[in-house]
Each structure stands twice: as structure tokens, then as C-alpha cells.
């Protein structure tokens, strides 16, 4: 068993980082300056456990937890001078951004061999990844002269969940080797974000519709495969088939919801001819797929 933990804190405070820039055109001149302060605190913990249940069965568990806390504060002062206007405009903003993120990773793998045939193997694996992040941004107009500015607040919540379950079975019998397996994956993504605008003079609150909305996305895929390998020196023949059932559902801020489901059949055949210990000729006949988790 192995347990590890890491925590660190990164502070960027006095002396602050300083930013200055100037912009000149035919009609106006802009001079802006500001100071930025950043506080970053990442965290990580990991646990690795391996246990031999019997001489023929083994289980491995890997758990990882991580987190991140970030805060960024920035104050900015700007002078705006128009050549055709006698009075200059000045304004100052304070920007405060906070972000928190948590993530969980869990992997479980179990493998069993059989006493009567050590080449016969049963494998089970499960994995989950869960991520959640929360972001808040506040932009406040501290003071202004000859300038009509607004206060703005933005909020966002992101969630992500990935699950995968897989079972594999290898059964050799004489010159024949049979492989079968099943894998189910599910992905669930969501994002809720909103933005409000506050008039500093009247206190009126309005919703920024262009920066407000949500998104939900779900994808489930069920895969099964069967493979047969037959050896008859100097030839070897492998034939297999995999089927994939996919279900997709998505809702976005704009546009109609998406809902799809379909099934794909992916056959495969391979012939090997061994000329010598260093030369082997192969012939393939298959239907390609982008999925990489399963093999024939």
C-alpha cells in the first residue's frame, strides 16, 4: 500500500506585479496602469493498494484526489483623452476572480487465473473520474469621471463525470484461443453560467443574456467483442466481431436538443503466415473503428 499527499501554496503578493500600457490614435489617447495579486493553492493525494487474494487472483485499487484554489485580484486605473473633447474621462475598476476545483479518480482492476489452465484469464476493471469547478468573477467600477461604466458579476459551475466498466475473458483450448469482452462507458457533462450587470448609479440589475445559459451533454456507449484465434503452423487465423451501441443526448443554450442512438457492427479477419523466425506475412480484412479500449 502506498499513500502520498502533496499540498503547496503559491502567493504573489507585495511586491505586486504591475502592468502599464498606452494607446495613441488620431482621435484619442489611453493610459492605463494596474496591480495584480494572485494566490494559488493546489492539493493532491493518492492511494495505491495491491492485494493478492489467492495465488491466482490479484486486485489493484488506485485512488487520487486533487483540488485547486485560485484567487486573482486586479485593480486598474485608466485615463481616456479625446482630442475633440475638452474634458478627459477617468475610471478605475477592481477585478476579483475566485476559482475552486475538485477532482476524484478511482481505478479498480481485478484479475483471476485458473489453476487448471494458467492461460485462461478473467479480468474486471472499473474507473470513475469526477470533476467539479466553480468560478466567480466580480468587476466593480470604483470611481469614474465623465465615464458611464457598469458593474458586472459572472458565475459558472462545471461538472464532469466519466464512468467505465469492462470485463474480459480469455479461454484457450488446444489450437484455439477465444477472447470475449464487454465495456460500458458513460460521460455526463454540464455547464451552468450566468452574468448580471449592475448600474452603479441606480443599483438596477439586469441579466446579460448573451453570457447566460447552460449546457448538458450525455454519452453512453456499450461495446461487446468476440475473437477466435486458430493456429495451424505455419498459419494462424484470427476472426472477430465487435458491436457498439451509442446513445447521445445534449441540450445547449441555443438550438434544438440533440438525441441520437445507433448501433455499429465491426467485423475483422486476419491471416498470418510465418515464413521464418524473422519473417511473417499478414493479410487483414477489417472494419476500422476509433475505439481503442478493446482489441481483437
Amino acid at each position: 500500500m502506498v499513500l502520498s499527499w502533496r499540498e503547496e501554496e503559491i502567493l504573489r503578493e507585495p511586491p505586486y506585479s504591475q502592468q502599464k500600457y498606452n494607446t495613441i490614435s488620431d482621435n484619442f489617447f489611453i493610459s492605463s496602469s494596474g496591480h495584480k495579486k494572485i494566490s494559488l493553492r493546489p492539493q493532491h493525494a493518492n492511494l495505491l493498494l495491491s492485494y493478492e487474494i489467492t495465488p491466482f487472483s490479484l486486485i489493484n485499487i488506485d485512488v487520487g484526489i486533487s483540488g485547486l484554489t485560485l484567487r486573482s485580484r486586479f485593480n486598474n486605473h485608466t485615463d481616456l483623452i479625446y482630442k475633440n473633447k475638452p474634458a478627459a474621462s477617468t475610471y478605475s475598476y477592481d477585478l476579483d476572480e475566485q476559482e475552486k476545483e475538485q477532482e476524484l479518480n478511482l481505478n479498480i482492476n481485478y484479475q483471476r487465473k485458473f489453476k487448471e489452465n494458467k492461460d485462461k484469464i478473467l479480468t474486471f476493471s472499473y474507473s470513475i473520474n469526477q470533476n467539479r469547478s466553480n468560478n466567480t468573477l466580480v468587476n466593480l467600477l470604483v470611481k469614474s469621471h465623465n465615464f458611464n461604466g457598469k458593474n458586472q458579476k459572472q458565475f459558472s459551475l462545471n461538472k464532469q463525470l466519466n464512468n467505465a466498466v469492462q470485463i474480459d475473458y480469455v479461454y484457450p483450448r488446444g489450437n484455439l484461443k477465444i477472447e470475449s469482452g464487454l465495456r460500458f462507458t458513460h460521460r455526463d457533462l454540464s455547464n451552468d453560467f450566468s452574468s448580471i450587470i449592475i448600474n452603479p448609479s441606480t443599483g438596477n440589475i439586469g441579466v446579460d443574456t448573451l453570457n447566460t445559459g447552460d449546457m448538458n451533454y450525455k454519452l453512453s456507449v456499450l461495446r461487446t467483442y468476440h475473437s477466435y484465434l486458430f493456429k495451424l503452423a505455419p498459419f494462424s487465423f484470427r476472426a472477430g466481431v465487435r458491436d457498439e451501441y451509442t446513445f447521445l443526448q445534449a441540450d445547449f443554450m441555443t438550438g434544438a436538443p440533440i438525441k441520437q442512438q445507433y448501433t455499429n457492427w465491426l467485423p475483422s479477419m486476419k491471416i498470418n503466415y510465418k515464413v521464418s523466425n524473422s519473417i511473417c506475412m499478414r493479410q487483414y480484412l477489417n472494419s476500422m473503428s476509433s475505439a481503442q479500449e478493446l482489441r481483437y
Side-chain angles (χ1 to χ4, degrees):
M1 181 176 69
V2 179
L3 174 63
S4 61
W5 170 264
R6 184 177 74 250
E7 181 175 346
E8 56 184 315
E9 186 171 4
I10 302 173
L11 294 174
R12 295 179 183 175
E13 31 190 319
Y16 302 135
S17 61
Q18 188 170 351
Q19 299 177 358
K20 292 183 178 181
Y21 62 88
N22 297 318
T23 303
I24 302 175
S25 73
D26 294 335
N27 298 320
F28 61 85
F29 169 77
I30 298 177
S31 176
S32 181
S33 62
H35 297 83
K36 194 171 186 179
K37 177 181 178 182
I38 298 176
S39 174
L40 176 64
R41 187 177 183 182
Q43 297 172 313
H44 177 77
N46 182 260
L47 173 65
L48 179 61
L49 175 65
S50 181
Y51 180 67
E52 187 179 37
I53 303 173
T54 69
F56 299 97
S57 59
L58 176 71
I59 185 170
N60 294 310
I61 301 176
D62 187 3
V63 183
I65 302 174
S66 61
L68 175 69
T69 302
L70 170 66
R71 185 171 186 182
S72 174
R73 283 166 285 183
F74 179 68
N75 59 77
N76 171 271
H77 177 79
T78 301
D79 294 316
L80 175 60
I81 302 174
Y82 286 95
K83 292 184 178 180
N84 57 352
K85 292 183 179 181
S89 299
T90 61
Y91 54 91
S92 298
Y93 273 102
D94 280 351
L95 178 66
D96 190 349
E97 182 178 9
Q98 299 184 53
E99 180 178 355
K100 292 184 178 181
E101 182 176 348
Q102 301 91 32
E103 184 172 5
L104 168 67
N105 287 286
L106 172 65
N107 294 280
I108 301 175
N109 293 282
Y110 169 79
Q111 185 179 84
R112 180 186 176 186
K113 296 184 178 181
F114 298 84
K115 186 176 181 180
E116 67 277 7
N117 189 342
K118 293 184 179 180
D119 292 327
K120 184 166 66 171
I121 303 174
L122 175 65
T123 305
F124 169 82
S125 60
Y126 172 75
S127 65
I128 179 174
N129 170 265
Q130 188 172 9
N131 181 281
R132 175 190 175 100
S133 62
N134 193 345
N135 183 279
T136 303
L137 186 146
V138 180
N139 193 17
L140 297 179
L141 180 65
V142 180
K143 58 182 179 179
S144 64
H145 176 70
N146 290 331
F147 178 79
N148 294 323
K150 296 180 180 179
N151 297 331
Q152 188 175 32
K153 294 184 178 181
Q154 293 181 343
F155 311 92
S156 66
L157 176 62
N158 301 285
K159 297 180 182 179
Q160 178 173 319
L161 176 64
N162 295 295
N163 285 289
V165 181
Q166 181 165 337
I167 300 175
D168 297 286
Y169 182 61
V170 180
Y171 180 67
R173 188 171 183 177
N175 292 335
L176 181 65
K177 183 179 180 181
I178 304 172
E179 295 185 38
S180 297
L182 179 148
R183 180 179 175 89
F184 175 76
T185 59
H186 177 73
R187 172 173 290 184
D188 192 343
L189 307 176
S190 67
N191 175 252
D192 297 326
F193 56 96
S194 61
S195 178
I196 60 175
I197 298 175
I198 305 173
N199 190 310
S201 301
T202 63
N204 294 334
I205 300 176
V207 177
D208 185 359
T209 56
L210 295 178
N211 293 294
T212 299
D214 56 13
M215 181 274 291
N216 294 283
Y217 175 90
K218 295 181 180 180
L219 175 67
S220 299
V221 180
L222 176 64
R223 305 178 178 96
T224 62
Y225 77 97
H226 307 278
S227 173
Y228 303 89
L229 174 63
F230 180 73
K231 293 183 178 181
L232 185 63
F235 289 94
S236 64
F237 306 88
R238 183 186 291 272
V241 63
R242 177 171 63 202
D243 66 279
E244 297 183 353
Y245 171 76
T246 303
F247 177 79
L248 170 65
Q249 184 176 359
D251 297 311
F252 300 96
M253 181 179 63
T254 59
I258 300 174
K259 190 173 184 180
Q260 299 177 353
Q261 51 184 343
Y262 49 88
T263 302
N264 291 323
W265 292 87
L266 309 168
S268 173
M269 180 177 292
K270 182 170 67 174
I271 301 175
N272 288 353
Y273 176 71
K274 188 174 183 181
V275 180
S276 65
N277 291 333
S278 59
I279 301 176
C280 183
M281 301 176 62
R282 296 182 176 91
Q283 179 65 42
Y284 296 91
L285 176 63
N286 60 12
S287 178
M288 299 301 293
S289 170
S290 59
Q292 301 177 359
E293 293 85 3
L294 303 177
R295 71 182 190 281
Y296 297 147

